[in-house]
Coordinates of all heavy atoms in Angstrom, one line a residue:
M685 N 13.2 -4.7 15.6 CA 12.2 -5.3 14.8 C 11.0 -5.6 15.7 O 11.1 -6.0 16.8 CB 12.7 -6.6 14.2 CG 11.8 -7.2 13.2 SD 11.2 -6.2 11.9 CE 12.3 -6.6 10.6
W686 N 9.8 -5.3 15.1 CA 8.6 -5.6 15.9 C 8.3 -7.1 15.9 O 8.5 -7.8 14.9 CB 7.4 -4.9 15.2 CG 7.5 -3.4 15.4 CD1 8.2 -2.5 14.6 CD2 7.0 -2.6 16.5 NE1 8.1 -1.2 15.1 CE2 7.4 -1.3 16.3 CE3 6.3 -3.0 17.6 CZ2 7.1 -0.3 17.2 CZ3 5.9 -2.0 18.5 CH2 6.3 -0.7 18.3
P687 N 7.9 -7.6 17.0 CA 7.7 -9.1 17.1 C 6.5 -9.6 16.4 O 6.5 -10.7 15.8 CB 7.6 -9.3 18.6 CG 7.2 -8.0 19.2 CD 7.8 -7.0 18.3
K688 N 5.5 -8.8 16.2 CA 4.3 -9.2 15.5 C 4.2 -8.3 14.2 O 4.1 -7.1 14.3 CB 3.1 -8.9 16.3 CG 3.0 -9.9 17.6 CD 1.7 -9.7 18.3 CE 1.6 -10.7 19.4 NZ 0.3 -10.7 20.1
K689 N 4.2 -9.0 13.1 CA 4.3 -8.3 11.8 C 3.0 -8.5 11.0 O 2.9 -8.1 9.8 CB 5.4 -8.9 11.0 CG 6.8 -8.6 11.6 CD 7.9 -9.1 10.6 CE 7.6 -8.6 9.3 NZ 8.4 -9.1 8.2
E690 N 1.9 -8.9 11.6 CA 0.7 -9.1 10.9 C 0.1 -7.9 10.2 O -0.2 -7.9 9.1 CB -0.4 -9.7 11.8 CG -0.2 -11.2 12.2 CD 0.6 -11.3 13.5 OE1 1.1 -10.2 14.0 OE2 0.8 -12.4 14.0
L691 N 0.1 -6.8 11.0 CA -0.4 -5.5 10.4 C 0.5 -5.0 9.3 O 0.1 -4.6 8.2 CB -0.5 -4.4 11.5 CG -1.1 -3.1 11.1 CD1 -2.5 -3.3 10.6 CD2 -1.0 -2.1 12.2
I692 N 1.8 -5.1 9.5 CA 2.8 -4.6 8.5 C 2.6 -5.5 7.2 O 2.6 -4.9 6.1 CB 4.2 -4.8 9.0 CG1 4.5 -3.8 10.2 CG2 5.3 -4.6 7.9 CD1 5.8 -4.0 10.9
D693 N 2.4 -6.8 7.4 CA 2.3 -7.6 6.2 C 0.9 -7.4 5.5 O 0.8 -7.3 4.3 CB 2.4 -9.1 6.6 CG 3.8 -9.5 7.1 OD1 4.7 -8.8 6.7 OD2 3.9 -10.5 7.8
L694 N -0.1 -7.2 6.3 CA -1.4 -6.9 5.7 C -1.5 -5.6 4.9 O -2.0 -5.6 3.8 CB -2.5 -6.9 6.9 CG -3.9 -6.6 6.5 CD1 -4.5 -7.7 5.7 CD2 -4.8 -6.3 7.7
L695 N -0.9 -4.6 5.5 CA -0.9 -3.3 4.8 C 0.2 -3.1 3.8 O 0.2 -2.1 3.0 CB -0.8 -2.2 5.9 CG -2.0 -2.1 6.9 CD1 -1.7 -1.0 7.9 CD2 -3.3 -1.8 6.2
K696 N 1.1 -4.1 3.7 CA 2.2 -4.0 2.8 C 3.1 -2.8 3.0 O 3.4 -2.1 2.0 CB 1.7 -4.2 1.4 CG 1.0 -5.5 1.1 CD 0.5 -5.7 -0.3 CE -0.2 -7.0 -0.4 NZ -0.9 -7.2 -1.6
I697 N 3.4 -2.5 4.2 CA 4.3 -1.4 4.6 C 5.5 -1.9 5.3 O 5.6 -3.0 5.7 CB 3.5 -0.4 5.5 CG1 3.0 -1.0 6.8 CG2 2.4 0.3 4.7 CD1 2.3 0.0 7.7
A698 N 6.5 -1.0 5.4 CA 7.8 -1.5 6.0 C 7.9 -1.2 7.5 O 8.6 -1.9 8.2 CB 9.0 -0.8 5.2
H699 N 7.2 -0.2 7.9 CA 7.3 0.2 9.3 C 5.9 0.4 9.9 O 4.9 0.8 9.2 CB 8.0 1.6 9.4 CG 9.3 1.6 8.7 ND1 10.4 0.9 9.2 CD2 9.7 2.3 7.6 CE1 11.4 1.1 8.4 NE2 11.0 1.9 7.4
P700 N 5.7 0.0 11.2 CA 4.3 0.1 11.8 C 4.0 1.6 12.2 O 3.7 1.9 13.3 CB 4.5 -0.8 13.0 CG 5.9 -0.6 13.4 CD 6.7 -0.5 12.1
I701 N 3.9 2.4 11.2 CA 3.6 3.8 11.4 C 2.4 4.2 10.4 O 2.5 3.9 9.2 CB 4.8 4.7 11.0 CG1 6.0 4.4 12.0 CG2 4.4 6.2 11.1 CD1 7.3 5.1 11.6
I702 N 1.4 4.7 11.1 CA 0.2 5.1 10.3 C 0.0 6.6 10.5 O -0.2 7.0 11.7 CB -1.0 4.2 10.7 CG1 -0.8 2.8 10.4 CG2 -2.3 4.7 9.9 CD1 -1.9 1.8 10.9
Q703 N 0.0 7.3 9.5 CA -0.2 8.8 9.6 C -1.7 9.0 9.9 O -2.6 8.4 9.3 CB 0.1 9.4 8.3 CG -0.2 10.9 8.2 CD -0.4 11.4 6.8 OE1 -0.1 10.7 5.9 NE2 -1.0 12.6 6.7
A704 N -1.9 9.9 10.9 CA -3.3 10.3 11.2 C -3.9 11.0 10.1 O -3.3 12.0 9.6 CB -3.3 11.1 12.5
P705 N -5.1 10.6 9.6 CA -5.7 11.3 8.5 C -6.5 12.6 9.0 O -7.7 12.6 9.2 CB -6.7 10.2 8.0 CG -7.1 9.5 9.2 CD -5.9 9.4 10.0
M706 N -5.7 13.6 9.1 CA -6.3 14.9 9.6 C -6.9 15.8 8.5 O -6.1 16.3 7.7 CB -5.2 15.6 10.4 CG -4.5 14.8 11.5 SD -3.1 15.6 12.1 CE -1.9 15.3 10.8
A707 N -8.2 15.9 8.5 CA -8.8 16.7 7.5 C -8.4 18.2 7.7 O -8.3 18.7 8.8 CB -10.4 16.6 7.7
G708 N -8.0 18.8 6.6 CA -7.5 20.1 6.6 C -6.0 20.3 6.8 O -5.5 21.3 6.6
A709 N -5.4 19.2 7.3 CA -4.0 19.3 7.6 C -3.2 18.3 6.7 O -2.0 18.5 6.4 CB -3.7 18.9 9.0
S710 N -3.8 17.2 6.3 CA -3.1 16.3 5.4 C -3.1 16.8 4.0 O -4.1 17.4 3.5 CB -3.7 14.8 5.5 OG -5.0 14.8 5.3
T711 N -2.0 16.6 3.3 CA -1.9 17.0 1.9 C -1.5 15.8 1.1 O -0.9 14.8 1.6 CB -0.9 18.1 1.7 OG1 0.4 17.6 2.1 CG2 -1.2 19.3 2.6
P712 N -1.7 15.8 -0.2 CA -1.2 14.7 -1.1 C 0.4 14.5 -0.9 O 0.8 13.4 -0.8 CB -1.5 15.1 -2.5 CG -2.7 16.0 -2.3 CD -2.5 16.7 -1.0
E713 N 1.1 15.6 -0.7 CA 2.5 15.5 -0.5 C 2.9 14.8 0.8 O 3.8 14.0 0.8 CB 3.2 16.9 -0.6 CG 3.1 17.6 -2.0 CD 1.7 18.2 -2.2 OE1 0.9 18.3 -1.3 OE2 1.5 18.6 -3.4
L714 N 2.2 15.1 1.8 CA 2.4 14.5 3.1 C 2.1 13.0 3.1 O 2.9 12.1 3.6 CB 1.7 15.2 4.3 CG 1.8 14.6 5.6 CD1 3.2 14.6 6.1 CD2 0.9 15.3 6.6
V715 N 1.0 12.7 2.5 CA 0.5 11.3 2.4 C 1.6 10.5 1.6 O 2.0 9.4 2.1 CB -0.9 11.2 1.7 CG1 -1.2 9.7 1.5 CG2 -1.9 11.9 2.6
A716 N 2.0 11.0 0.5 CA 3.0 10.3 -0.3 C 4.3 10.2 0.4 O 5.0 9.2 0.3 CB 3.2 11.0 -1.7
A717 N 4.7 11.2 1.1 CA 6.0 11.2 1.8 C 6.0 10.1 2.9 O 7.0 9.3 3.0 CB 6.3 12.5 2.5
V718 N 4.9 10.0 3.6 CA 4.8 8.9 4.7 C 4.9 7.5 4.0 O 5.6 6.6 4.4 CB 3.6 9.1 5.5 CG1 3.4 7.9 6.5 CG2 3.7 10.4 6.3
S719 N 4.1 7.4 3.0 CA 4.0 6.1 2.3 C 5.4 5.7 1.6 O 5.8 4.6 1.7 CB 2.9 6.1 1.2 OG 1.7 6.1 1.8
N720 N 6.0 6.7 1.0 CA 7.3 6.5 0.4 C 8.4 6.2 1.4 O 9.4 5.5 1.1 CB 7.8 7.7 -0.4 CG 7.0 7.8 -1.7 OD1 6.5 6.8 -2.2 ND2 6.9 9.0 -2.2
A721 N 8.2 6.6 2.7 CA 9.2 6.3 3.8 C 8.9 4.9 4.4 O 9.6 4.5 5.3 CB 9.1 7.4 4.8
G722 N 7.8 4.3 4.0 CA 7.6 2.9 4.5 C 6.4 2.8 5.5 O 6.1 1.7 5.9
G723 N 5.8 3.9 5.8 CA 4.6 3.9 6.7 C 3.3 3.9 5.8 O 3.4 3.7 4.6
L724 N 2.2 4.1 6.5 CA 0.9 4.2 5.7 C 0.5 5.6 5.8 O 0.0 6.1 6.8 CB -0.1 3.2 6.3 CG -1.4 3.2 5.6 CD1 -1.3 2.5 4.2 CD2 -2.6 2.6 6.4
G725 N 0.6 6.3 4.7 CA 0.1 7.7 4.6 C -1.4 7.6 4.5 O -2.0 6.7 4.0
S726 N -2.1 8.6 5.1 CA -3.5 8.7 5.1 C -4.0 10.1 4.8 O -3.6 11.0 5.5 CB -4.0 8.2 6.5 OG -3.6 6.9 6.8
Y727 N -5.0 10.2 3.9 CA -5.6 11.5 3.6 C -6.9 11.6 4.3 O -7.8 10.8 4.2 CB -5.8 11.6 2.1 CG -6.3 13.0 1.7 CD1 -5.4 14.1 1.6 CD2 -7.6 13.3 1.5 CE1 -5.8 15.3 1.4 CE2 -8.0 14.5 1.2 CZ -7.2 15.6 1.2 OH -7.6 16.8 0.9
G728 N -7.1 12.7 5.1 CA -8.3 13.0 5.7 C -9.3 13.7 4.8 O -9.2 15.0 4.6
A729 N -10.2 13.0 4.2 CA -11.1 13.6 3.2 C -12.2 14.3 3.8 O -12.8 15.2 3.1 CB -11.6 12.5 2.3
A730 N -12.7 14.0 5.0 CA -13.8 14.6 5.6 C -15.0 14.8 4.6 O -15.4 13.8 4.1 CB -13.4 16.0 6.3
A731 N -15.4 16.0 4.4 CA -16.6 16.2 3.5 C -16.1 16.7 2.1 O -16.8 17.5 1.5 CB -17.5 17.1 4.1
T732 N -14.9 16.2 1.7 CA -14.4 16.7 0.4 C -15.4 16.2 -0.7 O -15.7 15.0 -0.8 CB -13.0 16.1 0.1 OG1 -12.2 16.4 1.2 CG2 -12.4 16.5 -1.2
P733 N -15.8 17.1 -1.6 CA -16.7 16.7 -2.7 C -16.0 15.6 -3.6 O -14.8 15.6 -3.7 CB -16.8 18.0 -3.5 CG -16.5 19.1 -2.6 CD -15.5 18.5 -1.7
P734 N -16.8 14.7 -4.1 CA -16.3 13.5 -4.9 C -15.3 13.9 -6.0 O -14.3 13.3 -6.2 CB -17.5 12.9 -5.5 CG -18.6 13.2 -4.5 CD -18.3 14.6 -4.0
A735 N -15.6 14.9 -6.8 CA -14.7 15.3 -7.9 C -13.4 15.8 -7.4 O -12.3 15.4 -8.0 CB -15.4 16.4 -8.8
K736 N -13.4 16.6 -6.3 CA -12.1 17.0 -5.8 C -11.3 15.9 -5.2 O -10.1 15.8 -5.3 CB -12.3 18.1 -4.7 CG -11.1 18.7 -4.2 CD -11.3 19.9 -3.3 CE -9.9 20.4 -2.8 NZ -10.0 21.6 -2.0
L737 N -12.0 14.9 -4.5 CA -11.4 13.8 -3.9 C -10.7 12.9 -4.9 O -9.6 12.4 -4.8 CB -12.4 13.0 -3.0 CG -11.8 11.8 -2.3 CD1 -10.6 12.2 -1.4 CD2 -12.8 11.1 -1.5
R738 N -11.4 12.7 -6.1 CA -10.8 11.9 -7.2 C -9.5 12.6 -7.6 O -8.5 11.9 -7.9 CB -11.8 11.8 -8.3 CG -12.8 10.7 -8.2 CD -13.6 10.4 -9.4 NE -14.4 11.5 -9.8 CZ -15.7 11.7 -9.4 NH1 -16.2 10.9 -8.5 NH2 -16.4 12.7 -9.7
S739 N -9.5 13.9 -7.8 CA -8.3 14.6 -8.2 C -7.2 14.5 -7.2 O -6.0 14.3 -7.5 CB -8.7 16.1 -8.3 OG -7.5 16.9 -8.6
I740 N -7.5 14.5 -5.9 CA -6.5 14.4 -4.8 C -5.9 13.0 -4.8 O -4.7 12.8 -4.7 CB -7.1 14.7 -3.4 CG1 -7.4 16.2 -3.4 CG2 -6.2 14.2 -2.3 CD1 -8.3 16.6 -2.2
I741 N -6.8 12.0 -5.0 CA -6.3 10.6 -5.0 C -5.4 10.4 -6.2 O -4.3 9.7 -6.1 CB -7.5 9.6 -5.0 CG1 -8.1 9.6 -3.6 CG2 -7.0 8.2 -5.4 CD1 -9.4 8.9 -3.6
R742 N -5.7 10.9 -7.4 CA -4.9 10.9 -8.6 C -3.5 11.5 -8.3 O -2.5 11.0 -8.7 CB -5.5 11.5 -9.8 CG -6.6 10.7 -10.4 CD -7.1 11.4 -11.7 NE -8.3 10.8 -12.1 CZ -9.5 11.4 -12.0 NH1 -9.6 12.6 -11.6 NH2 -10.6 10.8 -12.4
Q743 N -3.5 12.6 -7.6 CA -2.3 13.3 -7.3 C -1.4 12.5 -6.3 O -0.2 12.4 -6.5 CB -2.6 14.7 -6.6 CG -1.4 15.5 -6.4 CD -1.7 16.9 -5.8 OE1 -2.9 17.2 -5.6 NE2 -0.7 17.7 -5.6
I744 N -2.0 11.9 -5.3 CA -1.3 11.0 -4.4 C -0.7 9.8 -5.2 O 0.5 9.5 -5.0 CB -2.2 10.5 -3.3 CG1 -2.6 11.6 -2.4 CG2 -1.4 9.4 -2.5 CD1 -3.7 11.3 -1.4
R745 N -1.5 9.2 -6.1 CA -1.0 8.1 -6.9 C 0.2 8.5 -7.8 O 1.0 7.7 -8.2 CB -2.1 7.5 -7.7 CG -3.0 6.7 -6.9 CD -4.1 6.0 -7.7 NE -4.9 5.2 -6.9 CZ -6.1 4.8 -7.2 NH1 -6.7 5.3 -8.3 NH2 -6.8 4.0 -6.4
E746 N 0.2 9.8 -8.3 CA 1.3 10.3 -9.1 C 2.6 10.4 -8.2 O 3.7 10.3 -8.8 CB 1.0 11.6 -9.7 CG 0.0 11.5 -10.8 CD -0.5 12.9 -11.3 OE1 0.1 13.9 -10.9 OE2 -1.4 12.9 -12.2
L747 N 2.4 10.6 -6.9 CA 3.6 10.9 -6.0 C 4.1 9.6 -5.4 O 5.2 9.6 -4.8 CB 3.2 11.9 -4.9 CG 2.8 13.3 -5.4 CD1 2.2 14.1 -4.3 CD2 4.1 14.0 -6.0
T748 N 3.3 8.6 -5.3 CA 3.7 7.3 -4.7 C 3.1 6.1 -5.4 O 2.0 6.2 -5.9 CB 3.4 7.3 -3.2 OG1 4.0 6.1 -2.6 CG2 2.0 7.3 -2.9
D749 N 3.8 5.0 -5.4 CA 3.2 3.7 -5.8 C 3.0 2.8 -4.6 O 2.8 1.6 -4.7 CB 4.1 3.1 -6.9 CG 5.5 2.7 -6.4 OD1 5.9 3.1 -5.2 OD2 6.3 2.1 -7.1
Q750 N 3.1 3.4 -3.4 CA 3.0 2.6 -2.2 C 1.6 2.7 -1.7 O 0.8 3.6 -2.1 CB 4.0 3.2 -1.1 CG 5.4 3.1 -1.5 CD 5.9 1.7 -1.7 OE1 5.6 0.8 -0.9 NE2 6.5 1.5 -2.9
P751 N 1.2 1.8 -0.7 CA -0.2 1.9 -0.2 C -0.4 3.2 0.6 O 0.5 3.7 1.2 CB -0.2 0.7 0.8 CG 0.9 -0.2 0.4 CD 1.9 0.7 -0.2
F752 N -1.7 3.6 0.6 CA -2.1 4.8 1.4 C -3.6 4.6 1.7 O -4.3 3.9 1.0 CB -1.8 6.1 0.7 CG -2.5 6.3 -0.6 CD1 -3.8 7.0 -0.6 CD2 -2.0 5.9 -1.8 CE1 -4.5 7.2 -1.8 CE2 -2.7 6.1 -3.0 CZ -3.9 6.8 -3.0
G753 N -4.0 5.4 2.6 CA -5.4 5.3 3.0 C -6.2 6.6 2.8 O -5.5 7.7 2.7
V754 N -7.5 6.6 2.7 CA -8.3 7.7 2.6 C -9.4 7.6 3.6 O -10.1 6.6 3.7 CB -8.9 7.9 1.2 CG1 -9.9 9.1 1.1 CG2 -7.9 8.0 0.1
N755 N -9.5 8.6 4.5 CA -10.4 8.5 5.6 C -11.6 9.4 5.2 O -11.5 10.6 4.9 CB -9.8 9.1 6.9 CG -10.7 9.0 8.1 OD1 -11.6 9.9 8.2 ND2 -10.6 8.0 8.9
L756 N -12.8 8.8 5.2 CA -14.0 9.5 4.8 C -14.8 9.8 6.0 O -14.9 9.0 7.0 CB -14.8 8.6 3.8 CG -14.1 8.2 2.5 CD1 -14.9 7.2 1.7 CD2 -13.8 9.4 1.7
F757 N -15.5 10.9 5.9 CA -16.4 11.3 7.0 C -17.8 10.9 6.7 O -18.4 11.2 5.6 CB -16.3 12.8 7.2 CG -17.2 13.4 8.3 CD1 -16.8 13.2 9.6 CD2 -18.3 14.1 8.0 CE1 -17.6 13.7 10.6 CE2 -19.1 14.6 9.0 CZ -18.8 14.4 10.3
A758 N -18.4 10.1 7.6 CA -19.8 9.7 7.4 C -20.6 10.0 8.6 O -20.6 9.3 9.6 CB -19.8 8.2 7.2
P759 N -21.3 11.1 8.6 CA -22.1 11.5 9.8 C -23.2 10.6 10.1 O -23.8 10.0 9.2 CB -22.6 12.9 9.4 CG -22.6 12.9 8.0 CD -21.5 12.1 7.5
A760 N -23.5 10.4 11.3 CA -24.5 9.4 11.8 C -25.9 10.1 11.8 O -26.3 10.5 12.8 CB -24.2 8.8 13.1
V761 N -26.5 10.2 10.6 CA -27.8 10.8 10.6 C -28.9 9.8 10.8 O -30.1 10.2 11.1 CB -28.0 11.5 9.2 CG1 -27.1 12.7 9.0 CG2 -27.9 10.6 8.1
E762 N -28.6 8.6 10.8 CA -29.7 7.5 10.9 C -30.4 7.7 12.3 O -31.6 7.5 12.4 CB -29.1 6.1 10.8 CG -28.4 5.8 9.5 CD -27.0 6.3 9.4 OE1 -26.3 6.4 10.5 OE2 -26.6 6.6 8.3
A763 N -29.6 8.0 13.3 CA -30.2 8.1 14.7 C -31.4 9.1 14.7 O -32.3 9.0 15.4 CB -29.2 8.5 15.7
Y764 N -31.3 10.1 13.9 CA -32.4 11.1 13.8 C -33.6 10.7 13.0 O -34.6 11.3 13.0 CB -31.8 12.5 13.3 CG -30.7 13.0 14.1 CD1 -29.4 12.8 13.6 CD2 -30.9 13.5 15.4 CE1 -28.3 13.3 14.4 CE2 -29.8 13.9 16.2 CZ -28.5 13.8 15.7 OH -27.5 14.2 16.4
Q765 N -33.4 9.6 12.3 CA -34.5 9.1 11.5 C -35.2 7.9 12.1 O -36.2 7.4 11.5 CB -34.0 8.8 10.1 CG -33.4 10.0 9.4 CD -32.7 9.7 8.1 OE1 -32.4 8.5 7.8 NE2 -32.3 10.7 7.3
L766 N -34.8 7.5 13.2 CA -35.4 6.3 13.8 C -36.6 6.6 14.6 O -36.7 7.7 15.2 CB -34.4 5.7 14.8 CG -33.1 5.1 14.2 CD1 -32.1 4.7 15.3 CD2 -33.3 4.0 13.2
T767 N -37.6 5.7 14.7 CA -38.7 5.9 15.5 C -38.3 5.7 16.9 O -37.3 5.0 17.2 CB -39.8 4.9 15.1 OG1 -39.4 3.6 15.4 CG2 -40.2 5.1 13.6
P768 N -39.1 6.2 17.9 CA -38.7 5.9 19.3 C -38.5 4.5 19.7 O -37.6 4.1 20.4 CB -39.8 6.6 20.1 CG -40.4 7.6 19.2 CD -40.2 7.0 17.8
E769 N -39.3 3.6 19.1 CA -39.2 2.2 19.3 C -37.9 1.6 18.8 O -37.4 0.6 19.3 CB -40.4 1.4 18.7 CG -41.7 1.7 19.3 CD -42.3 3.0 18.7 OE1 -42.0 3.4 17.5 OE2 -43.0 3.7 19.4
Q770 N -37.3 2.2 17.7 CA -36.1 1.7 17.1 C -34.8 2.2 17.8 O -33.8 1.6 17.7 CB -36.0 2.1 15.7 CG -37.1 1.5 14.8 CD -37.1 2.1 13.4 OE1 -37.0 3.3 13.2 NE2 -37.2 1.2 12.4
Q771 N -35.0 3.3 18.6 CA -33.8 3.9 19.2 C -33.3 3.1 20.4 O -34.0 2.5 21.1 CB -34.1 5.3 19.6 CG -34.4 6.2 18.5 CD -34.7 7.6 19.0 OE1 -34.6 7.9 20.1 NE2 -35.0 8.5 18.0
T772 N -31.9 3.1 20.5 CA -31.3 2.6 21.7 C -30.8 3.7 22.6 O -30.9 4.9 22.1 CB -30.1 1.7 21.2 OG1 -29.1 2.6 20.7 CG2 -30.4 0.7 20.2
P773 N -30.4 3.4 23.8 CA -30.0 4.5 24.6 C -28.8 5.3 24.0 O -28.7 6.5 24.2 CB -29.5 3.8 25.9 CG -30.3 2.6 25.9 CD -30.5 2.2 24.5
M774 N -28.0 4.6 23.2 CA -26.9 5.3 22.5 C -27.3 6.3 21.4 O -26.7 7.2 21.1 CB -25.9 4.3 21.9 CG -25.2 3.4 22.9 SD -24.0 4.3 23.9 CE -22.8 4.7 22.7
S775 N -28.5 6.1 20.8 CA -28.9 6.9 19.7 C -29.9 8.1 20.2 O -30.3 8.8 19.4 CB -29.6 6.1 18.6 OG -30.8 5.5 19.1
R776 N -30.2 8.1 21.4 CA -31.1 9.1 22.0 C -30.3 10.4 22.3 O -29.2 10.4 22.7 CB -31.9 8.6 23.1 CG -32.8 7.6 22.7 CD -33.7 7.1 23.9 NE -34.5 6.0 23.4 CZ -34.8 5.0 24.1 NH1 -34.5 4.9 25.4 NH2 -35.5 4.0 23.6

């Protein structure tokens, strides 16, 4: 048994296992299988169009009633829209 259960309790999972949300490799079936086994299944949505993502989430919900995550891809385009005065060394 893990000595610290805060994460397990917060995520409402049985085991401290979080599936990596790998875009192109995760499927609704894999996400549901991990969640049904007591871990946290995660779907790698990357740049999945909204309508398709809604369909995938519905499919995952049909396969499990357990918690799961969806990882969204959000490219950092803001750095390219900053004026030179607004930029930090990290955004250059």
Side-chain angles (χ1 to χ4, degrees):
M685 183 57 95
W686 290 89
K688 293 187 178 184
K689 294 183 52 188
E690 290 90 353
L691 182 63
I692 293 170
D693 294 339
L694 178 68
L695 297 176
K696 299 179 181 169
I697 57 177
H699 307 291
I701 297 171
I702 300 174
Q703 173 204 349
M706 302 169 289
S710 51
T711 64
E713 293 80 11
L714 177 60
V715 174
V718 172
S719 292
N720 287 334
L724 183 70
S726 301
Y727 185 80
T732 305
K736 183 172 182 178
L737 183 56
R738 278 191 293 274
S739 173
I740 290 167
I741 291 171
R742 282 189 197 106
Q743 187 177 0
I744 295 169
R745 286 184 173 156
E746 289 174 3
L747 297 169
T748 187
D749 61 353
Q750 300 301 309
F752 64 91
V754 176
N755 183 277
L756 302 173
F757 181 72
V761 295
E762 298 84 27
Y764 302 105
Q765 298 171 349
L766 298 175
T767 64
E769 296 81 29
Q770 295 172 317
Q771 292 182 4
T772 65
M774 294 292 291
S775 63
R776 291 185 187 145

